[in-house]
Amino acid sequence: MRYVKLGSTGLDISPLALGCMSYGSPDRGNHAWTLPEEQSRPLIRAAVEAGINFFDTANVYSDGSSEEIVGRALAEYTRREDTVIATKVHGRMHEGPNGAGLSRKAILAELDNSLRRLGTDYVDLYQIHRFDPTTPLEETLEALHDVVKAGKVRYLGASSMYAWQFSKALYLQRINGWTRFVTMQDHYNLINREEEREMFGLCADQGIGVLPWSPLARGKLTRPWDETTSRSETDEFGKTLYGTLDADRRVSDAVGTVAEARGVPRAQVALAWVSRNPVVAAPIVGVGKPGHLEDAVASLDLELTDAEVTALEELYVPHPLIGF
């Protein structure tokens, strides 16, 4: 495994992040398709053995059980000083007031809860899971700065929002001397490339590392378009993201054509395309089977030709902004 810097920081990460939404108690949270601990642990261990040192989870995944499973597995399979753990805050974690969002109260409470579940005294990358229009941005940013200065967080990241919102946050951090965001985790794959319009240019200018979520379009780019899985049939959020335009199918078919000509699985082609963008630091890849991990690692050595890139990109049409 070769390692890269996370944006303009000095932090070394694997150019793939293991997305840990797949790991969690199926009877907790909103995703009945998640893998329980006994099925999750071998996959996390395989990722460590493959050289992946970057693990991305969130407090809201499976009602905190993802953090619990990931924390216990990493404590057994790797050393904390070698591991980059990322988690997130924003989603609802309990009923009643202050159970969600990015207020100072919510951030301080939820970070401590995440640290407890992960079994660590610090998080390498703490990300706001979405923009919170109900909380003054200054309040959120100062609270995030304070948890860095308290030693509980090493770096800060943001997730899906408008480029103007991210630009405003970076400006406020700079003029107030607050710790700045170093990453943007946003929705990016061959089916949805809207982040190329404004967000990627902003990130390139500001030295922000991009961590695309859903780089395989919830699996739509890994198999024939009409083929389904148990996850795709029950993933209500995923159903809102893809399949609304006929062009999506044509792009998926193009992935299949390139993959067949190369003699490799579709996932390798789709991930290689995401990783070739210079602003991308590490796609966040979900691994539910050993083959998923093998394809993700193999994609790092797959170099697409200019002709293949043109074939993959030329069928794209503009999409509405979704996933915010």
Side-chain angles (χ1 to χ4, degrees):
M1 180 66 66
R2 59 180 176 83
Y3 296 89
V4 298
K5 297 297 182 183
L6 180 61
S8 56
T9 76
L11 184 65
D12 292 320
I13 60 166
S14 50
L16 294 169
L18 184 69
C20 298
M21 186 170 65
S22 298
Y23 313 133
S25 300
D27 57 351
R28 289 173 59 180
N30 299 321
H31 303 310
W33 43 264
T34 56
L35 301 178
E37 185 160 7
E38 62 272 17
Q39 296 178 40
S40 299
R41 289 173 65 87
L43 296 171
I44 298 172
R45 181 172 184 171
V48 171
E49 292 174 347
I52 291 176
N53 74 334
F54 192 9
F55 300 85
D56 178 80
T57 185
N59 62 348
V60 76
Y61 292 166
S62 298
D63 190 30
S65 63
S66 173
E67 290 180 323
E68 294 167 354
I69 291 171
V70 170
R72 286 193 288 265
L74 292 180
E76 180 173 345
Y77 300 140
T78 188
R79 300 184 304 177
R80 183 66 185 91
E81 58 267 33
D82 295 333
T83 308
V84 177
I85 298 176
T87 193
K88 311 181 195 74
V89 60
H90 175 273
R92 180 159 293 280
M93 293 301 293
H94 63 79
E95 295 301 320
N98 304 306
L102 298 176
S103 69
R104 183 178 185 86
K105 180 178 178 65
I107 288 172
L108 297 182
E110 291 306 325
L111 175 58
D112 284 345
N113 290 336
S114 288
L115 292 174
R116 172 179 50 78
R117 288 189 291 262
L118 287 164
T120 183
D121 57 3
Y122 71 95
V123 170
D124 295 282
L125 179 64
Y126 200 46
Q127 304 160 103
I128 56 172
H129 211 159
R130 290 296 186 273
F131 189 84
D132 181 3
T134 68
T135 299
L137 187 52
E138 292 86 348
E139 177 181 341
T140 296
L141 299 177
E142 186 173 21
L144 292 172
H145 172 73
D146 289 345
V147 298
V148 173
K149 293 307 175 184
K152 296 182 178 182
V153 171
R154 299 295 188 255
Y155 300 92
L156 297 175
S159 189
S160 297
M161 62 181 68
Y162 294 106
W164 72 262
Q165 293 171 325
F166 192 42
S167 180
K168 181 178 180 180
L170 293 170
Y171 170 76
L172 288 172
Q173 289 171 326
R174 184 168 188 170
I175 65 171
N176 287 287
W178 295 331
T179 306
R180 300 188 88 211
F181 291 124
V182 301
T183 59
M184 166 52 63
Q185 184 175 150
D186 52 5
H187 184 205
Y188 185 59
N189 54 55
L190 273 164
I191 291 179
N192 197 300
R193 295 165 47 196
E194 296 308 302
E195 294 295 273
E196 293 176 357
R197 299 186 188 280
E198 295 189 8
M199 182 61 81
F200 277 16
L202 173 61
C203 290
D205 178 73
Q206 295 295 308
I208 304 295
V210 173
L211 309 172
W213 59 264
S214 200
L216 295 174
R218 271 327 205 253
K220 296 293 285 184
L221 294 172
T222 68
R223 56 182 180 266
W225 188 255
D226 293 321
E227 186 177 310
T228 62
T229 65
S230 58
R231 171 175 172 173
S232 67
E233 292 174 349
T234 59
D235 184 3
E236 296 305 318
F237 180 56
K239 292 176 183 178
T240 69
L241 298 176
Y242 308 115
T244 58
L245 299 176
D246 290 339
D248 294 352
R249 178 191 292 267
R250 294 194 290 272
V251 171
S252 176
D253 290 345
V255 174
T257 299
V258 172
E260 184 176 2
R262 277 295 191 102
V264 299
R266 297 182 184 210
Q268 292 186 27
V269 172
L271 280 174
W273 179 86
V274 171
S275 294
R276 73 187 298 275
N277 191 308
V279 78
V280 170
I284 298 172
V285 182
V287 172
K289 300 176 181 178
H292 297 166
L293 178 63
E294 294 166 5
D295 284 339
V297 174
S299 74
L300 298 174
D301 294 323
L302 180 62
E303 294 187 12
L304 299 173
T305 67
D306 291 343
E308 289 170 334
V309 171
T310 297
L312 293 171
E313 295 182 348
E314 64 184 357
L315 298 172
Y316 184 78
V317 299
H319 284 58
L321 291 174
I322 49 179
F324 282 21

